[in-house]
Each structure stands twice: as C-alpha cells, then as structure tokens.
Amino acid sequence: MGDLSRSGKIMSDKARKEGRNGEAIICINPGGEEQWDRIVSAHVQPGCPCIMLNSAYSTSYDLGNKRGFEEAYYLKRISKGWVFRSFPGPWEAYLERPDGSVELLQQYRTKPALREVAALVRDESFKRYAINNDRWTPGFGERL
C-alpha cells in the first residue's frame, strides 16, 4: 500500500507526525477488509473520522463488514429483493415485485443476518407470486 493523498498532495512525514487536526480520512475503493486495517493503522488518529467508500467486494457472506465500521449507506441485492440502510435510519428489507417496483417488508434496528433477511424476502415473494417473480427471465411473470 502506497501513500494516500491529502487534498491531491501526498501526505508528508511532517503531517504524519503532527497529526490531522480533526481532518477526515476518505478512502475510495479500499479493497478487502484486511486493507482497511492497514489504512486505519497507517493514517487514522483519535478523533479522526475514517470513511471507506465503495469497497469492491466483501470478505464475508453476510451484510456489511466484520471490522466494526458503521455502514452509513448500504444497498445489497438479494434473491427477490434488496437490503438497504441510510444512516442513522434502520436496516430495511425490500421485496422486488414482478413489475420491478419494490415494497418495504421489514425494518431492523440493528444489522440483521443476511440469511434472515434473504429468507424473509424469498419466502414472501414465493407466497405472493410463486414462480412468477423471476427477474432473470425476460417476460416471465408478466400478465398473459
């Protein structure tokens, strides 16, 4: 991992030693969560917010991250729907209907497990639409 930039300039040794004076660290596409630890240890100081934007992939099969970062904005496609969060709001499970619209099914105060949300959305989709809610097959599920 090379130096991160600071307002378009490479961070100097002086800036590293003297601190960030309440500045925020924003890292775009930080890679896997193991990279997050390296970024935090190299560049974050107490009282310095650290924001990771648009991580390209997750290192776990679950929602969010396992490093203790708060998910401020989160959107994940799941089978038959979506999981969404906009801080400070709740986590939300959405059902995707056959016409492409969505409906809020449930809200969670704390981050739910992926399998819990996926099961809720999938089961509700099957109860309402049976096999006619397949977004991958063009024309499938349309009214005849």
Side-chain angles (χ1 to χ4, degrees):
M1 178 177 82
D3 284 335
L4 298 179
S5 66
R6 179 176 169 185
S7 299
K9 298 176 185 173
I10 294 180
M11 190 171 163
S12 68
D13 289 333
K14 179 182 179 205
R16 280 199 181 104
K17 290 175 188 170
E18 293 177 2
R20 298 203 179 272
N21 299 322
E23 295 176 351
I25 302 297
I26 300 173
C27 186
I28 300 171
N29 194 12
E33 292 172 15
E34 64 283 348
Q35 286 289 97
W36 300 14
D37 294 335
R38 293 174 64 194
I39 293 166
V40 168
S41 68
H43 300 284
V44 177
Q45 296 178 352
C48 176
C50 182
I51 301 167
M52 305 293 184
L53 294 174
N54 301 329
S55 186
Y57 60 92
S58 175
T59 56
S60 69
Y61 186 71
D62 210 344
L63 299 177
N65 68 88
K66 300 299 179 196
R67 296 293 201 253
F69 282 78
E70 181 73 30
E71 289 85 5
Y73 296 100
Y74 190 85
L75 180 66
K76 181 178 182 73
R77 188 185 259 309
I78 57 174
S79 178
K80 311 300 182 192
W82 299 86
V83 177
F84 174 74
R85 184 182 188 213
S86 176
F87 182 84
W91 290 81
E92 299 174 329
Y94 284 89
L95 171 68
E96 186 174 355
R97 297 177 179 142
D99 67 0
S101 64
V102 295
E103 174 188 343
L104 177 63
L105 287 183
Q106 187 163 338
Q107 294 182 327
Y108 303 85
R109 285 182 158 170
T110 60
K111 181 170 45 174
L114 175 59
R115 76 177 58 121
E116 174 188 349
V117 178
L120 168 80
V121 173
R122 186 180 53 246
D123 293 347
E124 188 64 27
S125 176
F126 190 72
K127 275 195 281 186
R128 292 186 190 185
Y129 309 113
I131 198 166
N132 297 321
N133 195 13
D134 189 348
R135 66 176 172 257
W136 304 112
T137 307
F140 201 73
E142 292 179 25
R143 290 187 176 265
L144 298 176

